[in-house]
Amino acid sequence: MTSLNTLSNLKTKKIRVGRGIGSGKGKTSGRGVKGQKSRSGVAIKSFEGGQMPLYRRLPKRGFNPIIKNDIALINLGDLQKLIDNKKININEKINIDTLKKLKLFRKSINKFKVLSNGELNSKIDIEGDYFSKTAKEKIEKAGGQVIIKNQSV
């Protein structure tokens, strides 16, 4: 004995429009009479009955990426000033967290680059995302160590 609630019984029959007056969807096929909406292949895209359309309500983004990859910059001269003012301990490793605690970078910054502008006299161990070639040379010349984080874009 078969159950009444089989999948074949639950399917609804497809309505065939334009198949005569007796079908209930004959003549104009449920589209009303005349006008743009009764024609085939025509649609009034994004028209919301006079209400401001969604694409005009939302702000423009243009070529500004949603996910910004902000890279902060710091010069070797600035690092040396911080060391001279005893704000950075040269015995500890300098990384982005150290520089954020000193409020040199915003909280949203997650990468930084070390540039070679200025002189560096102290031996420092620094962990960063990017280093200019001359900055790397100056740090190693002063006896310091450069640790480059994995560079995933």
Side-chain angles (χ1 to χ4, degrees):
M1 192 173 232
T2 59
S3 172
L4 293 174
N5 291 338
T6 58
L7 281 174
S8 60
N9 291 339
L10 294 174
K11 289 183 185 174
T12 54
K13 208 171 177 185
K14 184 178 180 289
I15 298 169
R16 297 180 69 211
V17 294
R19 294 294 186 274
I21 197 168
S23 69
K25 288 275 188 246
K27 194 184 169 220
T28 54
S29 305
R31 288 176 175 259
V33 186
K34 297 183 180 177
Q36 185 179 7
K37 290 183 180 178
S38 69
R39 315 282 188 238
S40 67
V42 180
I44 305 171
K45 291 189 177 83
S46 75
F47 183 71
E48 298 184 16
Q51 175 176 298
M52 186 62 67
L54 182 67
Y55 74 91
R56 287 183 62 193
R57 276 180 282 174
L58 298 175
K60 292 191 283 186
R61 289 209 324 253
F63 287 94
N64 300 323
I66 299 169
I67 301 169
K68 290 182 180 172
N69 196 5
D70 284 343
I71 300 171
L73 304 173
I74 190 159
N75 289 311
L76 288 177
D78 299 335
L79 285 173
Q80 186 60 49
K81 282 180 189 171
L82 292 167
I83 292 166
D84 293 340
N85 294 335
K86 306 248 189 294
K87 292 193 176 186
I88 293 180
N89 186 359
I90 57 171
N91 299 326
E92 294 176 7
K93 184 166 57 172
I94 300 167
N95 55 20
I96 194 157
D97 298 326
T98 313
L99 300 171
K100 278 184 183 179
K101 282 177 189 170
L102 293 169
K103 297 184 178 176
L104 294 173
F105 301 151
R106 295 190 311 267
K107 288 180 183 176
S108 61
I109 298 288
N110 50 11
K111 290 185 177 184
F112 77 100
K113 180 173 184 173
V114 180
L115 302 175
S116 66
N117 195 5
E119 290 301 317
L120 182 73
N121 307 323
S122 307
K123 177 187 170 185
I124 56 169
D125 293 347
I126 186 161
E127 180 183 13
D129 299 286
Y130 307 101
F131 292 87
S132 68
K133 195 186 289 184
T134 49
K136 193 174 177 184
E137 288 171 5
K138 283 183 179 180
I139 293 168
E140 288 170 349
K141 187 179 175 186
Q145 186 183 4
V146 172
I147 304 159
I148 300 172
K149 283 190 195 172
N150 55 344
Q151 295 175 5
S152 58
V153 178

